[in-house]
Amino acid sequence: MYRNLIKSVQYNKTKFKYLTYQTLSVACYHNESSYYGYRPRVKKEWKIPQTHLAARQANANLNAWINAYRVHGHRIAAVDPIKWLDGMDVVPEIEMSRYGLDESRELAGLDEIVSFSGSQVQTVADLKKKLEETYCENISVEFMQIEDEYEREWFMENYEKLMEEKEFITVEEKRALITEMIKFQEFDRFMNAKLPAIKRYGGEGAESMVAFFQNILKNAAYEDINSIVLGMPHRGKLSALVTLFRHRPARIFRKYKGLPEFGGDSNAMMDIPSHFSVSEEYEFDGKKVHLTMLPNPSHLEAVNPVSMGKTRSKQQSLRDGAFNDDLSKEFGTNVLNVILHGDAALPGQGINQECVMMTYTPNFEIGGTIHLAVNNQIGYTTPGDRARSSRYCTDIAKSVNAPIIHVNGEHPELVALATKLAFNYQRLFRKDVFIDFNCYRRWGHNEVDDPTMTSPCMYKLIRDKKSVPDQYADKLIAEGVITDEEIKSIMKHQFDYYATELTHAEEFVPETTCFRKQWDGFGQTPGTISIWDTGMSWELLSYIGRSSVYTPPEFNVHPHLKKTFVNSRIKKLAEGNAIDWATAEAMAFGSLMYQGHNVRLSGEDIGRGTFAQRHAMLIDMDTNEVFVPLNSLKGGLGGKYEVANSILSEEAVLGFEYGMSIDNPNNLIIWESQFGDFYNGAQIIFDTFISSGETKWMHASGLVLLLPHGMDGMASEHSSSRMERFLQMTDSKETIPDDDDVNFNLIFPTTPAQYFHAMRRQILRNFRKPLIVIAPKTMLRMSEATSKFQDFEPGTHFLNVLPDNISNPKDVKKIILCSGKHFYALNNERIEKNIENVAIIRIESLCPFPVHDIQVELAKYKNAKICIWSQEEHRNMGAWSFIQPRFENMCGRRIKYSGRDVAGTPATGIGKVHAKEAQYVVTHPFTM
């Protein structure tokens, strides 16, 4: 059919055999000159040669029958190694009688219809045999769902050609494959013999995943890919670590003996061995490729978006894809993403739907992912037919027109073929591709589990089977590729090696693997409190602020925005007395860009901002083109602003941003929740990565979460960021003053300048901590909640506590402490009622808890006998339960509560009730 199609496309993008190929101009949704990190995919026009169309038309019934195998052959393919579900389907669509065909009919000209050789196919009966060999045996495919005709025809041709190549793997490759499979198996056997009572989630039954990894690493090196980022769950991970990925077994054994896996003076609680990671460089024929396998939590599939985000960050650093001015450079040229899945988790975890729907969207694209679904045919104890509603665990791939390769894991060479096909497809089209790797789990969910209680029939079949490496060894011995003595020698050598490593486990000194390369110069936080001068020249900041609303002369801004946003900002900057939140944010981001740092802001509708306050992206009223003014900033060190409007997802998007943040500490990565309430859609990412990634895996992150918060009468789902949950997850101490060494920072700022300094501090510090910003809603446009230019100048910095400017501290009898916008309501009440004996102190940083700064303020009011914590949230929410023990234990004074009473939901949906509560929380602290 279309011979040498791969080479033609890769090395000659304008002419190639049998094809007409043309690059079409596409209407760009985004202006490429300013919309950093995005480039529209090139539209490729492709036509089937007329000779092939004519052959298909002349043999319409025959062509329809062949296509029936391409569409439905997988349904009867022998891809199940334990024959658990084989033979359960009848496929009438492939019966030749439906197409008026007879087995004795002679055939000619098949080369125009099929891609395998027609020389041995003389009759319909011959063709049936060939189609069954191709589509219905130990490997099969689903690709006819692909909408793009070029992709579909390419996949069909290359699959049918590969299936005809009987010697697609050389003798040397066979020997390398069996060697690694034996090593893989021996680790599990060693663990079973020496450490039988531990849970290790071994790879028994899935050993031929070795063929997948070998081919991915080798082909990536030959394609000059710099780096592979891998997300992988537990199953078979330890065996892969010590054999394929060169991880020292002693480190794993050391962990099982109850010793830490990190060396030096690492301050970390660490994690279990099946969550370990690796960062290693591999060489093939002088070509190198670096593999990063991320640590994963036990929340299945949660690591997937993290691996995607880390991939994109590496692509940004290497100027891959749209980060490069070279229009021919596609995403994935330098960095490849690979993700392994469990068969129950792939369709069962919604994060996968979010990930595949994110894969081709602007500012999240990474050039496609190669997916391997390790299909054990059971999830924990639930068989596959009860674990999903679809036929296959990989059916999610069809939602993005990704091809799927189903392969029997008892045939390692076919796994190698499937990997080769998947790799070539991803390299050519830079799209997702899935391999459904059908295997089994020799033991239960873990090695101390008895699966016969829940799956007796399945496990009777499994227990009677010879292992996959042993079967493959027998095959190669019979072929004369390797001898039985060589196999035994490999087994003995590997077993002895593991035994030696176990003996030396306790004396093994782990290598320090964190804070290297791009993280050089960073480290864990010292036990001190640091203050960072984050101010800048107002002249420069004013210039940056004006640049943040600049548009080219021919650009047509919405007239309302021109008046209320663009002109208003320029006027405020000129006066310097009423700088609002959006302007302070633009100055913070722009000043970091000026200093050479990239800034990425991600989330739902963040270009405009949920409250129409930001307008980081301006849209031309006539052309719909998007312009990002800050990317036209002149001077400085050339940092860029990536404005990433995301899909309507929290979990996958936040995971993606976390992945970016752990890769490069010099970029400011921010995720903004549409409303703070919605962060709980990403709770898994926060719990398992953001709040604990450093103490588990020594992965520092400077990720910022902006969570709009405020009890403004918008009912339960648009009021509270649930700050109490974050505060409960901090490792802030109740009896000892905090320093910088907390697992994350949480602030509730009340002025634009405070927000400005917090954003800049996040990058200028020599350590990284996640930052939760309980962000404004009504404060965005509150006239009182503005800052003067002096608040941004050199020598200024983020203040943990903002003092009261009350005229006579000696008259103060009562002190109210609060945070956030509630301060302005309290202050207005105080002014309106002419109350002069009450001071209001704002706690801007909740974690670390600023004991010293609070004590300094309290000392000003010698005659104050009453301290009150006032909040607008309900008593069982907000900061009260966090504030009370710390204030009383470390400030040495009792503190009373004022706010809403306990409740089961953050806010009422009844307007009159809300108004009554809002009045109460403002007046009550003054009357206590």
Side-chain angles (χ1 to χ4, degrees):
M1 218 173 169
Y2 319 127
R3 305 302 175 191
N4 301 317
L5 195 57
I6 301 174
K7 259 182 205 178
S8 301
V9 174
Q10 285 181 338
Y11 300 111
N12 189 335
K13 295 242 176 180
T14 53
K15 280 184 190 177
F16 42 107
K17 199 172 179 183
Y18 304 123
L19 305 177
T20 302
Y21 174 85
Q22 181 182 1
T23 299
L24 299 179
S25 60
V26 209
C28 298
Y29 172 64
H30 298 298
N31 184 298
E32 292 182 41
S33 65
S34 74
Y35 203 83
Y36 176 72
Y38 171 65
R39 183 188 302 145
R41 279 183 167 246
V42 175
K43 174 68 176 174
K44 299 173 183 177
E45 186 180 79
W46 177 84
K47 293 181 180 178
I48 299 176
Q50 191 59 42
T51 54
H52 291 74
L53 285 177
R56 294 176 186 184
Q57 291 164 4
N59 299 277
N61 283 12
L62 182 66
N63 187 59
W65 181 53
I66 293 169
N67 277 338
Y69 272 90
R70 292 167 176 160
V71 175
H72 302 287
H74 62 88
R75 290 162 56 185
I76 54 172
V79 295
D80 181 3
I82 55 175
K83 310 297 187 294
W84 181 241
L85 298 176
D86 280 2
M88 295 181 66
D89 211 348
V90 175
V91 187
E93 291 90 343
I94 62 175
E95 293 175 4
M96 69 174 68
S97 60
R98 284 193 167 202
Y99 305 90
L101 300 173
D102 183 81
E103 287 192 353
S104 61
R105 174 180 162 180
E106 295 186 356
L107 300 173
L110 274 181
D111 282 351
E112 306 295 318
I113 302 176
V114 296
S115 297
F116 47 74
S117 173
S119 60
Q120 297 178 353
V121 179
Q122 305 297 322
T123 65
V124 169
D126 294 337
L127 179 57
K128 179 182 180 183
K129 183 174 182 293
K130 191 70 175 176
L131 289 170
E132 288 176 346
E133 289 175 354
T134 304
Y135 288 102
C136 305
E137 292 194 350
N138 298 127
I139 185 171
S140 193
V141 289
E142 291 182 271
F143 66 95
M144 294 295 276
Q145 74 274 10
I146 300 174
E147 292 179 3
D148 185 87
E149 187 175 47
Y150 173 35
E151 288 182 41
R152 195 168 59 246
E153 293 284 327
W154 180 95
F155 199 92
M156 174 183 70
E157 176 188 351
N158 282 270
Y159 173 68
E160 291 180 357
K161 284 176 62 180
L162 282 173
M163 285 303 297
E164 193 173 32
E165 294 175 7
K166 301 301 182 187
E167 297 300 326
F168 58 82
I169 181 168
T170 66
V171 169
E172 291 74 19
E173 288 171 331
K174 290 179 180 181
R175 288 180 63 88
L177 178 53
I178 188 57
T179 298
E180 291 303 317
M181 287 181 67
I182 292 295
K183 290 179 179 178
F184 190 100
Q185 175 174 263
E186 282 306 302
F187 179 78
D188 282 323
R189 286 181 172 174
F190 179 85
M191 295 291 281
N192 201 40
K194 300 296 184 180
L195 299 166
I198 64 166
K199 299 177 181 180
R200 54 185 167 80
Y201 309 99
E204 294 101 323
E207 292 94 345
S208 54
M209 71 166 68
V210 166
F212 172 80
F213 283 121
Q214 276 188 328
N215 278 269
I216 288 291
L217 287 167
K218 180 177 66 177
N219 290 329
Y222 291 160
E223 282 285 312
D224 295 320
I225 292 172
N226 297 77
S227 184
I228 297 172
V229 180
L230 169 65
M232 181 179 180
H234 307 64
R235 188 69 53 200
K237 187 173 190 176
L238 296 184
S239 297
L241 277 171
V242 301
T243 57
L244 295 162
F245 305 147
R246 304 174 186 170
H247 202 74
R248 281 288 302 274
R251 182 170 179 245
I252 294 171
F253 298 149
R254 173 183 172 88
K255 182 66 177 180
Y256 279 125
K257 286 179 173 288
L259 297 170
E261 67 268 23
F262 293 126
D265 55 354
S266 301
N267 179 21
M269 295 176 69
M270 307 183 201
D271 204 356
I272 59 174
S274 55
H275 294 174
F276 278 5
S277 61
V278 69
S279 178
E280 188 64 66
E281 190 169 71
Y282 302 85
E283 185 172 337
F284 301 89
D285 298 335
K287 293 180 175 289
K288 295 179 179 179
V289 61
H290 188 272
L291 173 73
T292 300
M293 180 171 69
L294 291 168
N296 59 293
S298 290
H299 286 70
L300 301 175
E301 311 293 318
V303 74
N304 300 349
V306 179
S307 75
M308 294 169 69
K310 189 173 178 70
T311 298
R312 186 170 172 93
S313 179
K314 288 186 176 298
Q315 291 171 340
Q316 183 178 25
S317 298
L318 294 170
R319 300 190 68 227
D320 199 345
F323 295 117
N324 199 301
D325 294 333
D326 181 355
L327 298 181
S328 67
K329 194 163 189 177
E330 300 175 275
F331 274 116
T333 301
N334 300 121
V335 189
L336 173 65
N337 183 229
V338 178
I339 298 178
L340 270 65
H341 309 269
D343 57 308
L346 180 54
Q349 298 294 306
I351 196 170
N352 289 317
Q353 172 73 13
E354 296 179 20
C355 284
V356 297
M357 285 299 157
M358 187 167 60
T359 188
Y360 307 133
T361 57
N363 304 102
F364 294 89
E365 184 177 0
I366 55 173
T369 295
I370 297 177
H371 301 263
L372 181 75
V374 181
N375 191 345
N376 301 291
Q377 306 186 64
I378 194 168
Y380 200 29
T381 65
T382 303
D385 59 336
R386 302 178 198 174
R388 59 182 180 269
S389 297
S390 62
R391 175 183 293 272
Y392 298 116
C393 66
T394 49
D395 282 334
I396 191 175
K398 297 173 186 175
S399 64
V400 288
N401 294 310
I404 304 160
I405 308 165
H406 304 281
V407 62
N408 188 321
E410 280 197 321
H411 298 266
E413 293 176 20
L414 289 180
V415 177
L417 181 147
T419 307
K420 177 180 179 181
L421 180 62
F423 184 85
N424 289 340
Y425 174 85
Q426 188 276 334
R427 298 318 294 157
L428 178 57
F429 297 105
R430 302 297 162 91
K431 292 182 65 180
D432 283 30
V433 56
F434 286 71
I435 299 174
D436 177 19
F437 170 62
N438 290 264
C439 53
Y440 56 86
R441 211 173 58 194
R442 183 163 292 279
W443 311 111
H445 178 67
N446 56 67
E447 289 69 26
V448 297
D449 180 34
D450 181 5
T452 61
M453 293 186 291
T454 50
S455 301
C457 296
M458 175 187 283
Y459 273 88
K460 184 178 187 304
L461 294 170
I462 291 172
R463 294 289 163 83
D464 292 342
K465 292 184 72 65
K466 200 170 190 177
S467 79
V468 177
D470 289 349
Q471 287 184 56
Y472 189 48
D474 290 346
K475 176 179 180 291
L476 296 189
I477 291 169
E479 291 177 5
V481 171
I482 200 168
T483 66
D484 183 54
E485 289 72 23
E486 288 177 296
I487 294 292
K488 290 176 180 176
S489 175
I490 296 169
M491 293 169 64
K492 183 179 186 307
H493 177 270
Q494 206 64 20
F495 196 92
D496 290 346
Y497 167 60
Y498 297 140
T500 301
E501 287 287 286
L502 180 60
T503 301
H504 297 301
E506 294 190 28
E507 63 193 52
F508 169 70
V509 179
E511 180 186 0
T512 300
T513 57
C514 43
F515 300 114
R516 298 187 303 178
K517 297 182 179 178
Q518 67 267 36
W519 283 85
D520 185 38
F522 294 86
Q524 290 194 280
T525 52
T528 59
I529 300 172
S530 58
I531 295 175
W532 297 81
D533 182 356
T534 46
M536 291 194 80
S537 158
W538 178 251
E539 183 180 6
L540 176 58
L541 291 178
S542 180
Y543 160 70
I544 291 169
R546 293 193 303 274
S547 300
S548 72
V549 289
Y550 161 80
T551 55
E554 67 278 9
F555 195 88
N556 299 297
V557 181
H558 192 289
H560 181 71
L561 281 184
K562 182 74 174 176
K563 176 182 177 182
T564 63
F565 180 71
V566 177
N567 294 342
S568 173
R569 178 168 294 182
I570 294 171
K571 181 174 182 289
K572 289 175 181 177
L573 288 165
E575 295 171 350
N577 292 322
I579 304 304
D580 61 15
W581 288 81
T583 304
E585 178 183 84
M587 293 191 303
F589 295 171
S591 62
L592 289 170
M593 292 164 59
Y594 197 86
Q595 292 175 288
H597 302 281
N598 297 316
V599 177
R600 175 181 166 94
L601 177 63
S602 166
E604 300 157 13
D605 310 303
I606 50 84
R608 186 200 74 163
T610 297
F611 310 100
Q613 85 283 7
R614 179 174 292 120
H615 300 289
M617 303 160 55
L618 296 174
I619 292 95
D620 189 295
M621 294 300 293
D622 296 331
T623 66
N624 211 46
E625 291 290 305
V626 171
F627 186 76
V628 179
L630 274 177
N631 281 330
S632 297
L633 185 66
K634 300 294 190 296
L637 299 179
K640 291 295 184 180
Y641 187 17
E642 186 170 18
V643 185
N645 274 340
S646 76
I647 64 172
L648 198 68
S649 153
E650 284 83 35
E651 187 177 3
V653 175
L654 183 57
F656 192 99
E657 305 311 321
Y658 174 78
M660 293 200 73
S661 74
I662 61 173
D663 181 69
N664 192 333
N666 295 306
N667 296 335
L668 179 62
I669 310 297
I670 308 161
W671 177 75
E672 181 175 69
S673 179
Q674 193 174 67
F675 286 86
D677 318 62
F678 300 161
Y679 96 90
N680 57 14
Q683 189 77 53
I684 287 173
I685 299 297
F686 190 85
D687 290 356
T688 59
F689 288 102
I690 299 171
S691 70
S692 57
E694 183 175 349
T695 194
K696 288 194 294 190
W697 311 310
M698 296 295 291
H699 277 188
S701 165
L703 179 64
V704 177
L705 277 69
L706 302 180
L707 305 178
H709 174 97
M711 314 291 283
D712 304 320
M714 298 182 70
S716 291
E717 274 70 62
H718 297 85
S719 296
S720 175
S721 64
R722 293 289 197 173
M723 76 176 84
E724 63 276 3
R725 296 181 181 173
F726 293 101
L727 292 171
Q728 189 271 333
M729 284 188 278
T730 71
D731 56 5
S732 167
K733 301 174 182 63
E734 292 187 1
T735 58
I736 302 173
D738 291 333
D739 51 43
D740 288 334
D741 189 20
V742 289
N743 57 337
F744 59 87
N745 296 167
L746 187 146
I747 64 173
F748 198 175
T750 56
T751 72
Q754 285 282 82
Y755 177 49
F756 167 89
H757 290 299
M759 292 298 100
R760 286 185 47 76
R761 183 183 68 172
Q762 197 67 3
I763 282 293
L764 298 183
R765 295 192 293 197
N766 61 356
F767 59 88
R768 293 290 176 262
K769 291 290 182 181
L771 172 64
I772 312 300
V773 181
I774 309 302
K777 294 192 296 183
T778 58
M779 267 198 298
L780 292 167
R781 292 181 174 84
M782 193 181 289
S783 59
E784 309 100 294
T786 56
S787 297
K788 297 178 181 180
F789 77 89
Q790 293 93 338
D791 300 330
F792 300 90
E793 292 200 308
T796 57
H797 56 86
F798 181 82
L799 297 171
N800 296 320
V801 174
L802 289 183
D804 198 340
N805 294 321
I806 197 163
S807 58
N808 194 348
K810 291 181 180 179
D811 294 338
V812 171
K813 305 299 183 185
K814 180 188 299 183
I815 300 170
I816 299 175
L817 296 97
C818 66
S819 285
K821 82 173 183 71
H822 188 49
F823 162 76
Y824 293 102
L826 292 171
N827 194 44
N828 288 337
E829 175 72 9
R830 182 172 62 172
I831 293 170
E832 183 180 323
K833 299 291 177 59
N834 195 28
I835 301 171
E836 297 182 350
N837 64 346
V838 177
I840 306 175
I841 299 173
R842 285 174 271 178
I843 311 299
E844 301 280 292
S845 169
L846 293 167
C847 182
F849 187 68
V851 174
H852 174 74
D853 298 313
I854 293 173
Q855 288 175 331
V856 168
E857 292 307 311
L858 293 177
K860 295 178 181 178
Y861 308 108
K862 306 293 185 181
N863 298 319
K865 304 300 182 184
I866 300 173
C867 291
I868 297 169
W869 173 257
S870 181
Q871 64 180 39
E872 57 177 357
E873 298 83 14
H874 292 279
R875 188 181 185 118
N876 56 324
M877 304 171 199
W880 166 243
S881 60
F882 181 86
I883 290 287
Q884 184 189 24
R886 287 162 180 79
F887 185 87
E888 293 186 350
N889 290 337
M890 290 182 282
C891 295
R893 301 177 69 166
R894 296 295 300 274
I895 189 167
K896 297 180 178 181
Y897 171 78
S898 178
R900 285 172 168 84
D901 199 359
V902 295
T905 187
T908 179
I910 305 169
K912 288 187 177 181
V913 173
H914 167 75
K916 184 177 180 181
E917 290 177 346
Q919 181 63 27
Y920 171 79
V921 298
V922 169
T923 58
H924 183 252
F926 293 101
T927 61
M928 291 176 66

